[in-house]
């Protein structure tokens, strides 16, 4: 998780992005893996594309951390695993969202100029 108080000098800005987006999508609606892939692409107007090779490991890790729960459902003869957010996952989402909001605000300050920075032309 990216922390604004972190002493890390070169944070990987993509750390936590798939986790954040997946938790946000599942916050109000149960979804299965491929549906999540399509929702991220569609809702970001294809600016963000995260493949199944990223989504499934994140889903499994979140489930192992008890941030998600799953249930198997058969739809049109196909068995699918649907995921939903647990209370622990909701807390994790809130923390990730706050960190990304702070990061985005800091980047906007650098781009536009602000209290401590001149705008970047």
């Amino acid at each position: 998780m990216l922390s604004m108080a972190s002493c890390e000098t070169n944070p990987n800005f993509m750390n936590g992005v798939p986790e954040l987006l997946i938790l946000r999508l599942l916050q109000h609606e149960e979804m299965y893996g491929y549906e999540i892939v399509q929702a991220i692409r569609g809702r970001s107007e294809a600016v963000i594309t995260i493949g199944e090779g990223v989504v499934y490991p994140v889903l499994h890790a979140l489930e192992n951390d008890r941030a998600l729960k799953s249930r198997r459902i058969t739809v049109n003869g196909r068995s699918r695993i649907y995921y939903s957010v647990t209370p622990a996952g909701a807390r994790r989402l809130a923390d990730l969202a706050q960190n990304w909001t702070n990061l985005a605000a800091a980047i906007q300050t650098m781009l536009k100029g602000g209290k401590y920075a001149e705008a970047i032309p």
Side-chain angles (χ1 to χ4, degrees):
M1 184 177 347
L2 181 63
S3 170
M4 296 309 293
S6 173
C7 293
E8 188 175 356
T9 56
N10 292 308
N12 179 347
F13 290 146
M14 292 306 291
N15 275 347
V17 170
E19 183 177 333
L20 172 67
L21 298 177
I22 289 168
L23 286 169
R24 179 63 182 101
L25 284 171
L26 297 175
Q27 184 178 27
H28 297 292
E29 178 183 0
E30 249 185 354
M31 299 174 95
Y32 60 94
Y34 184 70
E35 185 178 21
I36 293 167
V37 169
Q38 294 302 315
I40 290 170
R41 181 175 295 135
R43 294 180 190 182
S44 72
E45 297 181 358
V47 171
I48 303 169
T49 57
I50 299 173
E52 293 173 72
V54 171
V55 168
Y56 284 107
V58 172
L59 287 170
H60 298 149
L62 288 168
E63 187 173 24
N64 287 338
D65 289 345
R66 297 194 166 113
L68 295 179
K69 61 183 177 180
S70 66
R71 65 188 182 121
R72 186 172 296 276
I73 300 174
T74 301
V75 178
N76 296 330
R78 293 188 66 166
S79 180
R80 293 188 173 133
I81 298 174
Y82 282 79
Y83 296 89
S84 59
V85 175
T86 65
R91 288 188 298 276
R92 192 164 175 163
L93 172 59
D95 290 344
L96 282 169
Q98 185 60 58
N99 287 341
W100 276 98
T101 298
N102 292 343
L103 179 61
I107 291 169
Q108 283 299 316
T109 297
M110 290 294 298
L111 293 174
K112 293 180 180 177
K115 189 173 181 180
Y116 302 108
E118 291 184 26
I120 297 172

